[in-house]
Amino acid sequence: MRRRTAGMIAVVSAMGMTAILGGCGSTGSSDVTLRLVAADYGDSPANSSKKYWDALVKAYEATHSGVKVEVSVYSWNDVDRKVKEMVDAGHAPDLAQIGAYADYAAAGKLYAASDLLSIRTQADFLSQLADAGQWNHTQYGIPFAASTRVLFYNKTMFESAGLTPPSTWDQLAADAKVLKDKGVKYPFALPLGPEEAQAETMQWMLSGGDGGSGGTGYTDDIGTYTIDSQQNVSTFTWLKDDLVDKGLTGPVAPGRLNRAQAFAAFADGQVGMVNGHPTLIQQAEQKGVRFGMVPTPSRSGRARASMGVTDWMMAFKQNGHAEQTGDFLNYVYSQKNVLDFSRTYGLLPVTSSASNVMSASNAAPDKALHPFLDELATSELYPVGKTSWAAVSAAVKQNIGQAVAPGGNPAGVLTRLQATATAADSAASAN
């Protein structure tokens, strides 16, 4: 998750067309070789998800003698580019598990999910994730791994200051003021730097409504960009006036503070509060930081939704292996395999069956994720089904920090971003 979600790598097959090999089962040769490009969420060679895929593929091939699956690994810095290069060269993989599907769907290069998956597998996906995988009212993006955001707070700092975790913005600002007075370096870390500013931005937008109505996010209910809505302008005006200008976000300007820096500072005991995803649990525990987690505070204490993130599996039509690809995907999305992956990398299951098992479990790996699972049911995702989203996300990453900078004009910045989004949407519609 990109951003979403952290410490991520990726899996890519060797370039080339899917091989159709001769021979029969008795010779040990395969009828079909599927090549997979899939994201790996490990943060070192020791826990690279190549190990996950190698074990899964070995088990699958043991009972499917006519199919071979080849997998190789790339980092998240490279995987989207690698897939694009393969597709542009006319050598699309059979499967890619990356960050975005809409451009490939719009170009007619992907199988619809219904062409591949059993009815049982399709019905098991969490509905809001499956819905986010739709382009032009048809699902092409198959959710693979999910995460949400909650507020992490340093328990030691809060106990020392006699504070309780906040549920509203006013409480958050008051707690941050107390922590600042006690010398905390980052009372509230606000990472609006270019690494993942689109995530922090959306979390604040969703929590910015009045009277429990919730914020608008990037789009309205029919998919029209609403970046410069009055609620969003009000949200960023509050951030600037009540947090940043009062020195409650630390010594690094939010527009220059990246998520990785904020998480590292929290794990080093320098941050009082920060919005975080599941990766931060292990990072903080490794450094011995005592922390708690609560739903992200909102203006009224009743946010409409948390921000959800998912990465996507997609199947390319070029090699024509719909039957074999679908059979393999049904295996990938079995309850056991979804749980194995989620538990290994501290991410949320994308299926109802696996989510139910994790929610009912009090084992340490599962219990730690319960606060995030609680948020997933009402989470709202980026508008990933819009082919314009990549350009809009890039613009937000580069510019949103200016909205809270000294002398900045939140309304002006959001208006410019809205103009960028509208133009990108119009261009995408024209193509």
Side-chain angles (χ1 to χ4, degrees):
M1 256 123 306
R2 225 176 249 284
R3 359 251 131 344
R4 110 211 175 264
T5 227
M8 303 188 222
I9 322 173
V11 191
V12 172
S13 65
M15 300 266 273
M17 298 286 288
T18 296
I20 305 296
L21 304 178
C24 61
S26 61
T27 67
S29 62
S30 297
D31 297 318
V32 170
T33 297
L34 300 178
R35 290 188 168 87
L36 170 66
V37 177
D40 176 9
Y41 297 79
D43 55 12
S44 70
N47 73 344
S48 165
S49 29
K50 188 177 189 304
K51 293 185 176 181
Y52 169 83
W53 286 110
D54 286 348
L56 184 149
V57 166
K58 182 178 179 180
Y60 179 79
E61 290 179 348
T63 55
H64 297 75
S65 59
V67 180
K68 179 178 174 60
V69 184
E70 294 184 357
V71 184
S72 48
V73 179
Y74 289 82
S75 76
W76 269 105
N77 293 329
D78 298 325
V79 62
D80 289 328
R81 174 177 54 81
K82 289 287 186 179
V83 173
K84 185 177 186 302
E85 289 173 353
M86 295 170 74
V87 174
D88 288 349
H91 303 304
D94 295 281
L95 288 161
Q97 191 271 297
I98 51 179
Y101 68 86
D103 285 346
Y104 296 124
K109 296 183 181 296
L110 301 180
Y111 285 113
S114 59
D115 293 335
L116 304 168
L117 303 174
S118 69
I119 293 174
R120 181 175 181 176
T121 299
Q122 282 189 270
D124 199 22
F125 289 113
L126 295 170
S127 60
Q128 74 274 28
L129 303 184
D131 289 347
Q134 293 185 6
W135 177 82
N136 202 21
H137 308 296
T138 298
Q139 184 184 354
Y140 296 94
I142 305 170
F144 185 75
S147 73
T148 55
R149 300 294 196 270
V150 299
L151 181 75
F152 284 72
Y153 66 95
N154 185 304
K155 277 190 173 181
T156 301
M157 292 178 184
F158 269 64
E159 290 171 1
S160 175
L163 299 174
T164 57
S167 62
T168 68
W169 289 359
D170 288 344
Q171 293 168 0
L172 184 151
D175 287 350
K177 175 64 166 60
V178 172
L179 295 174
K180 179 188 178 184
D181 292 344
K182 287 187 170 292
V184 174
K185 186 174 182 179
Y186 294 90
F188 181 87
L190 182 64
L192 293 176
E195 178 193 4
E196 204 184 33
Q198 83 285 3
E200 187 76 11
T201 295
M202 184 168 175
Q203 186 66 58
W204 283 98
M205 286 177 169
L206 290 172
S207 65
D210 291 306
S213 63
T216 59
Y218 286 109
T219 61
D220 61 18
D221 292 339
I222 61 172
T224 302
Y225 284 110
T226 55
I227 295 174
D228 64 346
S229 70
Q230 185 53 51
Q231 283 184 340
N232 290 340
V233 170
S234 177
T235 292
F236 277 85
T237 300
W238 185 88
L239 283 173
K240 181 180 184 302
D241 294 346
D242 288 63
L243 287 185
V244 180
D245 286 354
K246 293 182 179 179
L248 302 180
T249 56
V252 179
R256 296 200 303 270
L257 182 68
N258 282 324
R259 177 197 51 78
Q261 295 170 270
F263 280 17
F266 185 86
D268 287 338
Q270 299 175 339
V271 175
M273 297 172 280
V274 66
N275 290 323
H277 53 63
T279 303
L280 187 52
I281 294 175
Q282 184 178 22
Q283 196 171 346
E285 287 177 343
Q286 288 175 343
K287 291 291 190 76
V289 171
R290 296 176 59 242
F291 63 90
M293 298 178 289
V294 294
T296 303
S298 65
R299 186 185 298 275
S300 65
R302 294 172 293 175
R304 181 185 72 184
S306 173
M307 190 198 70
V309 176
T310 188
D311 296 317
W312 302 100
M313 182 76 78
M314 62 212 70
F316 287 87
K317 295 192 294 187
Q318 179 178 330
N319 301 315
H321 297 142
E323 181 179 354
Q324 295 86 354
T325 298
D327 187 70
F328 178 65
L329 286 176
N330 286 323
Y331 183 79
V332 168
Y333 285 101
S334 68
Q335 182 186 103
K336 176 186 180 299
N337 288 328
V338 172
L339 280 170
D340 284 349
F341 183 87
S342 300
R343 287 165 170 165
T344 299
Y345 297 105
L347 293 165
L348 306 183
V350 296
T351 61
S352 295
S353 59
S355 293
N356 291 339
V357 171
M358 187 175 281
S359 294
S361 170
N362 284 319
D366 294 344
K367 189 173 183 179
L369 293 174
H370 285 181
F372 299 93
L373 280 170
D374 291 343
E375 297 295 312
L376 187 59
T378 58
S379 64
E380 184 170 319
L381 280 71
Y382 302 130
V384 290
K386 296 172 75 67
T387 56
S388 58
W389 170 241
V392 175
S393 176
V396 171
K397 289 179 182 181
Q398 293 300 320
N399 296 291
I400 194 63
Q402 299 171 15
V404 297
N409 178 2
V413 172
L414 294 179
T415 296
R416 290 194 295 275
L417 287 171
Q418 177 68 30
T420 297
T422 300
D425 216 23
S426 296
S429 299
N431 291 332

